[in-house]
Amino acid sequence: MNNVMKIFMEAKMQPLGEAAIQVSFGDRIDPQLCLCARALAAELEKNPFPGLKELEVSYTGVAVFFEPLILIREKIEKANPELSHSYQVVENYIKTLLKKIKLSEADVAPRVRVPVCYGGEYGPDLEYVAKYHKLTQQEVIDKHISGDYLVYMIGFAPGFPYVGGLPEDIATPRRETPRLAIPKGSVGIAGSQTGAYPLETPGGWQLIGRTPLELFRLNDLEHPSVLQAGDRLEFYAITPGEFKRIAAQEGSVAK
Amino acid sequence: MNILVKKSGLMSTLQDLGRIGYQKYGVLVNGAMDSFSSRLANILVGNKQAEAALEMTMLGSTMQLPAGIIFALTGADLGATIDGQPVPSFRPVCVTRDCLLMCGFAKQGCRGYFAVAGGFDVPIIMGSKSTYLRAKIGGFDGRALAAGDVLKVGTPAPTMQLFVQQIMRKYGANAAFATVPWYAPGTFIFDDNVIRITRGQQYAWFTEESINNFLNEPYSIALQSDRMGYRLEGEALQYKEKRELVSEPVTFGSIQVPADGNPIILLADRQTAGGYPKIAQVVCADLPRLAQRKPKTSLHFQQVSLAEAERLYLQQEKFINKLAVVIQQKLTEVYN
């Protein structure tokens, strides 16, 4: 945990325009930086300052969007005339907060289990991926399930997770010709990334399976995305029968 | 009351001030490209500033309006007419009988805004009425308007009833519409002065020559520019060394530079994060003017401090909030 303290103390802060601040804990993709970013976001959500608009967690830090109009009334000591008033108020606030954050194993690594029906019509590229690595389809599935996955960021599309941790021996290049429509829930591999598509979109990923989970729920205002940055992710295999049963349940909770 | 869309125009979408609070779930902010004009249009019809307006790009829509509706046009001059009569912009207009509002090509500016008293009655998705084209949600059915669409209008603010009575008695004799003798000052958005910027997060990654070029040479807005971003053409910019950037958050007005050296200004439909180095950030106060620039016109950038950017922002916010107070008084004053 001393290491985490050091990361917090060495956080770099920069303006992202005059209505946001970018807090960075480093410049590499690293599970520890991701967890620090998640911890800061959680702390800010628990203790928001007046004028806080929204937070965005990324690979290495947190962007904090705010309303300068509200912050202009706060006082600051020893102001820097080059920087804006509201930026300095927020910077000071975050510095103070970073000193107070305490990380515990329990609140930094929740595990989200995602069921996947592998192969067949659900994973049309599983055969290709197996052949590419000279493995059986079952071996690819086993390796995919064995991965230690971390959701670094949600982006690109609503609820779309950037996931790290795919076993290198099943990393597979994207398809030469992208598909025009990838079915919702598809689980794929693109290079050393894996992930699941919450919505139907075009894309070039190698599709090895599909999850019946509704990864993005329009009508859930609190948590529209099942996955969040910093979540640990676990895939497990289900049969087509289980897929249909879960999909039917999910259909009733989502839009 | 309903509005029937007869012709859609090039790209007309409902937009408010954006979907705030969901970027962490990968949801884009969207919202009006020129938020000043959108807010002003709503103020003029007695709505809250954050109500949705119809944003019409380059070529406006033609709509069948019902008698009794109150609307305002701001932003680009789309040469709007009713029964062949020009309809003045930047003021509230009352429609006295069913009529056809025709908007054409933008004579000045790039995006026109059309607000109606009572706002547009469409579902609020994640706190916003903005159209999210790529995810097909929000606005009208998650898409740009098409001929045959029927837009439902909400209930106007109670003060607007008195306004309609007064205006009809005083000005609404025979014409299809009546308006007021005053107008709001909203044309500064056409001013093509420099676009002010502050330093981007990776400003120091660029060569000195590139920074000089960026600040002193003109950049032209490429044709393949849209609500997501303006691609710029001009002196290509170079990094001091090739470095990889891990994707990080971006915002409205972030200027990122891909490896080919041609800058891209990210706009209302920007993605939540980007992996290209950011040389600069357009100041908030200049975003409305930027959004009114047409493709193929050129931009000059000028660097200001973050403190100056904040001062400009606060000045513009005070200006629009003062306008809101004055216009509200005008709308409720009794015409004798």
Side-chain angles (χ1 to χ4, degrees):
Chain A
M1 283 297 138
N2 281 337
N3 199 5
V4 169
M5 289 280 287
K6 191 162 175 277
I7 293 173
F8 281 147
M9 287 311 101
E10 288 172 2
K12 189 170 117 189
M13 295 191 224
Q14 269 191 302
L16 175 56
E18 62 269 39
I21 181 169
Q22 168 73 35
V23 187
S24 307
F25 296 117
D27 54 11
R28 60 188 196 280
I29 297 175
D30 176 330
Q32 200 163 31
L33 300 187
C34 174
L35 294 179
C36 286
R38 182 190 171 103
L40 173 61
E43 199 65 28
L44 274 164
E45 274 169 0
K46 252 190 285 169
N47 303 294
F49 56 86
L52 173 64
K53 278 174 80 181
E54 70 173 301
L55 300 170
E56 193 187 331
V57 183
S58 62
Y59 280 103
T60 58
V62 184
V64 182
F65 295 85
F66 55 80
E67 174 50 65
L69 209 55
I70 295 173
L71 288 152
I72 201 77
R73 300 177 206 125
E74 305 280 328
K75 289 203 169 53
I76 36 173
E77 282 169 35
K78 285 185 267 176
N80 176 343
E82 280 295 299
L83 289 171
S84 67
H85 186 95
S86 49
Y87 173 81
Q88 292 177 80
V89 173
V90 178
E91 190 184 48
N92 290 341
Y93 185 86
I94 293 172
K95 273 184 186 161
T96 315
L97 210 57
L98 284 172
K99 283 181 199 149
K100 290 195 296 201
I101 300 181
K102 293 208 168 47
L103 280 187
S104 71
E105 284 302 324
D107 58 24
V108 293
R111 214 167 261 279
V112 182
R113 300 190 78 221
V114 174
V116 182
C117 185
Y118 289 97
E121 58 172 302
Y122 298 99
D125 300 325
L126 179 63
E127 195 184 340
Y128 173 86
V129 173
K131 275 196 185 137
Y132 185 87
H133 295 287
K134 301 193 173 63
L135 297 169
T136 65
Q137 295 192 22
Q138 190 56 48
E139 283 168 332
V140 173
I141 295 171
D142 291 343
K143 283 177 188 292
H144 192 252
I145 287 171
S146 75
D148 182 14
Y149 298 111
L150 179 65
V151 177
Y152 281 96
M153 185 163 78
I154 305 289
F156 169 68
F160 185 90
Y162 285 83
V163 179
L166 181 75
E168 275 304 318
D169 48 6
I170 53 167
T172 317
R174 288 175 170 81
R175 287 167 57 86
E176 277 180 24
T177 314
R179 287 189 171 87
L180 290 178
I182 288 183
K184 184 174 93 172
S186 291
V187 173
I189 293 176
S192 54
Q193 297 182 82
T194 184
Y197 282 84
L199 306 169
E200 182 185 294
T201 119
W205 290 38
Q206 305 285 359
L207 308 182
I208 59 169
R210 204 186 301 170
T211 178
L213 277 193
E214 290 283 345
L215 293 169
F216 195 81
R217 303 156 193 245
L218 273 180
N219 51 5
D220 184 346
L221 288 182
E222 290 298 313
H223 297 287
S225 172
V226 166
L227 298 167
Q228 289 192 53
D231 284 348
R232 297 263 165 200
L233 180 62
E234 202 175 288
F235 293 110
Y236 66 98
I238 54 169
T239 64
E242 287 168 314
F243 183 98
K244 292 197 176 90
R245 187 179 55 76
I246 300 174
Q249 276 173 6
E250 287 286 299
S252 57
V253 294
K255 195 186 93 169
Chain B
M1 280 193 292
N2 291 334
I3 295 172
L4 172 64
V5 179
K6 303 290 264 187
K7 287 184 193 168
S8 62
L10 203 55
M11 207 208 20
S12 303
T13 58
L14 291 179
Q15 299 291 347
D16 56 19
L17 299 182
R19 201 160 269 118
I20 314 285
Y22 294 91
Q23 289 196 83
K24 62 182 165 193
Y25 301 123
V27 175
L28 307 192
V29 177
N30 308 119
M33 286 279 279
D34 169 359
S35 61
F36 175 84
S37 297
S38 174
R39 291 162 77 182
L40 184 58
N42 278 301
I43 291 170
L44 285 166
V45 293
N47 292 346
K48 292 203 164 75
Q49 294 183 29
E51 181 52 64
L54 182 66
E55 177 180 284
M56 300 179 278
T57 313
M58 295 298 282
L59 173 64
S61 315
T62 293
M63 297 173 277
Q64 180 85 49
L65 303 182
I69 201 170
I70 308 163
F71 72 87
L73 290 164
T74 61
D77 177 1
L78 298 170
T81 58
I82 287 178
D83 293 355
Q85 293 285 316
V87 180
S89 295
F90 301 106
R91 58 186 101 194
V93 177
C94 301
V95 171
T96 56
R97 58 168 188 260
D98 293 2
C99 64
L100 207 59
L101 171 71
M102 298 172 74
C103 296
F105 275 102
K107 294 174 184 168
Q108 199 177 19
C110 187
R111 291 159 226 280
Y113 291 84
F114 170 77
V116 290
F120 293 98
D121 185 10
V122 293
I124 295 174
I125 311 243
M126 288 180 269
S128 169
K129 294 183 181 176
S130 288
T131 312
Y132 185 170
L133 292 168
R134 212 167 321 139
K136 303 190 179 86
I137 59 174
F140 186 89
D141 240 6
R143 59 170 170 81
L145 296 188
D149 288 346
V150 176
L151 295 168
K152 280 192 207 150
V153 176
T155 312
T159 49
M160 296 310 282
Q161 283 178 1
L162 182 64
F163 172 74
V164 174
Q165 287 165 14
Q166 297 297 332
I167 200 112
M168 299 292 266
R169 205 179 63 209
K170 188 135 198 242
Y171 305 103
N174 309 309
F177 67 90
T179 185
V180 296
W182 51 267
Y183 60 93
T187 53
F188 78 88
I189 47 162
F190 303 131
D191 161 3
D192 61 1
N193 267 334
V194 292
I195 296 294
R196 289 162 291 193
I197 52 116
T198 54
R199 283 183 181 202
Q201 281 150 295
Q202 289 79 31
Y203 180 88
W205 288 24
F206 292 86
T207 63
E208 203 177 320
E209 191 193 354
S210 286
I211 288 172
N212 278 334
N213 283 337
F214 181 71
L215 294 173
N216 297 307
E217 300 299 324
Y219 282 86
S220 163
I221 301 171
L223 276 176
Q224 58 278 46
S225 293
D226 54 19
R227 282 180 45 90
M228 184 178 173
Y230 279 175
R231 290 170 179 276
L232 302 184
E233 290 164 346
E235 290 290 336
L237 305 174
Q238 285 174 341
Y239 317 135
K240 283 180 192 153
E241 55 185 306
K242 202 174 177 303
R243 281 170 76 173
E244 277 301 309
L245 178 67
V246 178
S247 287
E248 60 179 25
V250 294
T251 188
F252 202 156
S254 294
I255 306 181
Q256 61 174 28
V257 185
D260 68 5
N262 296 315
I264 299 172
I265 313 183
L266 299 175
L267 304 169
D269 285 356
R270 65 199 175 275
Q271 292 196 205
T272 56
Y276 295 122
K278 293 175 284 296
I279 189 170
Q281 174 71 41
V282 176
V283 308
C284 291
D286 285 353
L287 292 173
R289 288 198 295 119
L290 179 67
Q292 291 295 347
R293 296 295 185 86
K294 289 187 173 110
K296 289 283 150 200
T297 59
S298 67
L299 303 173
H300 278 92
F301 296 109
Q302 183 189 55
Q303 191 177 323
V304 298
S305 69
L306 196 67
E308 174 68 1
E310 183 183 56
R311 195 188 63 75
L312 295 167
Y313 172 74
L314 296 173
Q315 186 183 314
Q316 195 172 84
E317 285 302 301
K318 281 178 190 152
F319 175 63
I320 191 160
N321 288 326
K322 199 170 158 191
L323 266 183
V325 172
V326 173
I327 292 169
Q328 189 57 34
Q329 275 169 2
K330 285 268 187 200
L331 290 175
T332 49
E333 82 187 9
V334 178
Y335 294 87
N336 301 307

